[in-house]
Amino acid sequence: MNRSAELFPTRSALQEAHDRTKPWIQKTPVVTCAYFDEQTGANLYFKCENFQKTGSFKIRGVLNTVLGLDPAQTRHGLATFSSGNHARAVAYVASLHHLPSFIAMPATATKIKIAALKEYGAHLCYFNGKKGHREDVMARLLRKTDASFIHPYNAMDTIIGQSGVAKELIEEIFPPLDSIVVPVGGGGLLAGTALAAAHFSPKTVVFGAEPELADGAFVSFLAGRRIETDFAATIADGLRTNIGERNCAIMLKLTAGILQVAEDEIYQALLQVWHRMKIVVEPSAAVALAAVLRNPRLFQGKRIGILFSGGNLDLPLGNA
Amino acid sequence: MNRSAELFPTRSALQEAHDRTKPWIQKTPVVTCAYFDEQTGANLYFKCENFQKTGSFKIRGVLNTVLGLDPAQTRHGLATFSSGNHARAVAYVASLHHLPSFIAMPATATKIKIAALKEYGAHLCYFNGKKGHREDVMARLLRKTDASFIHPYNAMDTIIGQSGVAKELIEEIFPPLDSIVVPVGGGGLLAGTALAAAHFSPKTVVFGAEPELADGAFVSFLAGRRIETDFAATIADGLRTNIGERNCAIMLKLTAGILQVAEDEIYQALLQVWHRMKIVVEPSAAVALAAVLRNPRLFQGKRIGILFSGGNLDLPLGNA
């Protein structure tokens, strides 16, 4: 495969990925909300991946990756680093295939995140915050287990898997959307969405949305190349990461820009979703709506798709 | 109409009420959750009135009442006492009909409850906790405005309106449910559900579910007559009331019993719904599920309908 084909997978690659992952995932609902339509003067269509199996879209990329591997490659199990949604997806997909899963997670991970992973039978080991320690722990884990490493975002099968979210949204909504707005961290969902729009709804413009406190994609977009930035403890914990290389290349080529939002805007959008729509989204998932609320002029009178990426929260559960 | 017909409205009365309220309300979804099915060993069907307009089932009773009144009776508007879901429903239905609404509410009502009512254009006045003061304020309000008083639960049109929740659930689920479990406060939803089951699914057994801290229906059921009890500040704020007279009569005749739940059981059920189902329910709405989780022997192997009565919470909204 040449470099350009690798960067920009074909329409049929996206179609095949969607077809093969479909039997294992939810076709999540698309919902509307009169209140937010009034607030924005736009028509908003919310794609609810918070109702997806494991509580986020991440299962799509993991499934697509694993279904594309030879069983010999995964017979020792699956491994990754992450304490959050990607780890859950890896652990769940491993359990579906009766494989062990190995997760390297920060020693500071919350009890409920740990409980969720154990529920899927994952084997956990911990790293501390020191530079390089995560990579050390991960490398040791891979040597010891021979498990197959599943990257959270910077891999084409992952990106293609995530494209299913926007593909389903595009197929459900007619007339076509003017824009789709997507939370961006590592950029798997953003890149997948940009590819889905390019292939299935070429007039639909894709924006990323990012916390000001973790602005790697924003800076990279403006610089026209991948730049790593420091990121602070944004409430949108799923977005505390820099954009991946492949993800960045697709972002630069196929998206219209990255919208920034402040912490309070994320928090207010989150609460308003709970309050008005009665559904639980996680802070990262509220980032795209926050960006639309912050930029009314950009979206007024338009038909906008908004991706609710997940619904996993650290609730104070007694038995978790 | 004789006493018995008044107590037990006919099947066609329920059908007509449902038909006339339908155009104004959501047909709320019925959802399932593999996690809770595993926890209980039962098949649970959750009827999501948290997604209903105004955030709870209360709109059904109010609408049915107002649609049954002569316009001359409501031309001065609608009035009620309540700070919660019933008040919202009255204010919303009044706004639909371009009528004023007048709400007598406790001086301690939260900012967000007040904001929700003002959003529907309601006129508010306040009473304090002193015995009889609520009735004084309400009587003065009615004299002054000549508005039509809409009781929150103890009225047959209200009860018949609420029957639509269980009617829709019964019509959607096949084979028929073994039981339906319903939160009970004033008993409008319980009585409506009992009537719907009696007329549309006579083999389905109806249970009420009530906080131990507000156990008026439990005590009344066991005594075989309406008994008023004191109630403490249960987290299930929508259920802090005694069962109404008509409601009690229907409960005694048509339900199988009242299940009690402790505060911590309500709170844990609430969090688990948020965590596992990713939907926002209010504490009162979690009471029926809490009762099923507490009584596995009663429900194991059965097909159970659970009513999620509402999703209105006092979230810390910045702009409310």
Side-chain angles (χ1 to χ4, degrees), chain A residues 15-68:
Chain A
Q15 185 64 56
E16 281 161 26
H18 194 212
D19 290 344
R20 74 178 172 187
T21 51
K22 246 185 209 167
W24 310 85
I25 59 177
Q26 303 276 358
K27 184 167 181 293
T28 53
V30 178
V31 304
T32 60
C33 175
Y35 172 79
F36 287 121
D37 281 358
E38 268 169 44
Q39 291 291 304
T40 56
N43 289 104
L44 307 184
Y45 298 88
F46 298 91
K47 174 70 171 170
C48 293
E49 288 287 293
N50 54 322
F51 295 138
Q52 187 52 268
K53 280 180 201 288
T54 74
S56 89
F57 71 95
K58 290 281 191 179
I59 186 181
R60 296 176 184 261
V62 175
L63 253 177
N64 189 49
T65 303
V66 171
L67 295 174

Side-chain angles (χ1 to χ4, degrees), chain A residues 119 274 276 278 280 312, chain B residues 119 274 276 278 280 312:
Chain A
E119 204 174 300
W274 294 31
R276 298 289 173 173
K278 312 300 182 193
V280 174
N312 292 324
Chain B
E119 204 174 300
W274 295 30
R276 299 287 173 174
K278 311 300 181 192
V280 175
N312 292 324

Side-chain angles (χ1 to χ4, degrees), chain A residues 62-85:
Chain A
V62 175
L63 253 177
N64 189 49
T65 303
V66 171
L67 295 174
L69 292 171
D70 194 284
Q73 291 173 279
T74 57
R75 74 200 154 97
H76 297 296
L78 310 179
T80 198
F81 56 82
S82 152
S83 63
N85 291 338

Side-chain angles (χ1 to χ4, degrees), chain A residues 21-224:
Chain A
T21 51
K22 246 185 209 167
W24 310 85
I25 59 177
Q26 303 276 358
K27 184 167 181 293
T28 53
V30 178
V31 304
T32 60
C33 175
Y35 172 79
F36 287 121
D37 281 358
E38 268 169 44
Q39 291 291 304
T40 56
N43 289 104
L44 307 184
Y45 298 88
F46 298 91
K47 174 70 171 170
C48 293
E49 288 287 293
N50 54 322
F51 295 138
Q52 187 52 268
K53 280 180 201 288
T54 74
S56 89
F57 71 95
K58 290 281 191 179
I59 186 181
R60 296 176 184 261
V62 175
L63 253 177
N64 189 49
T65 303
V66 171
L67 295 174
L69 292 171
D70 194 284
Q73 291 173 279
T74 57
R75 74 200 154 97
H76 297 296
L78 310 179
T80 198
F81 56 82
S82 152
S83 63
N85 291 338
H86 176 65
R88 275 189 210 206
V90 167
Y92 175 74
V93 170
S95 76
L96 276 185
H97 290 80
H98 307 289
L99 297 170
S101 60
F102 305 94
I103 311 291
M105 60 197 306
T108 54
T110 57
K111 257 167 61 178
I112 192 166
K113 286 201 168 92
I114 294 172
L117 291 171
K118 286 190 173 162
E119 204 174 300
Y120 296 136
H123 303 277
L124 309 180
C125 66
Y126 301 92
F127 55 84
N128 62 38
K130 282 198 197 127
K131 198 169 163 61
H133 193 229
R134 180 179 82 179
E135 284 65 31
D136 291 348
V137 167
M138 195 70 234
R140 211 157 48 227
L141 189 62
L142 291 175
R143 268 200 311 275
K144 210 174 103 183
T145 62
D146 230 5
S148 200
F149 177 67
I150 313 285
H151 196 282
Y153 47 84
N154 187 27
M156 199 46 75
D157 279 339
T158 303
I159 292 170
I160 294 174
Q162 319 304 28
S163 73
V165 181
K167 181 169 176 287
E168 288 174 10
L169 174 63
I170 286 165
E171 287 169 352
E172 183 162 341
I173 302 304
F174 189 85
L177 297 165
D178 296 302
S179 309
I180 302 178
V181 188
V182 191
V184 53
L189 187 60
L190 179 66
T193 300
L195 290 170
H199 284 308
F200 299 102
S201 188
K203 290 191 178 155
T204 302
V205 174
V206 174
F207 291 94
E210 195 175 56
E212 289 171 349
L213 293 186
D215 63 353
F218 179 77
V219 171
S220 299
F221 189 90
L222 294 183

Side-chain angles (χ1 to χ4, degrees), chain B residues 275-299:
Chain B
H275 177 48
R276 299 287 173 174
M277 304 179 76
K278 311 300 181 192
I279 67 176
V280 175
V281 296
E282 60 191 50
S284 304
V287 166
L289 173 60
V292 173
L293 290 169
R294 174 164 165 166
N295 297 283
R297 299 274 297 275
L298 201 52
F299 296 108

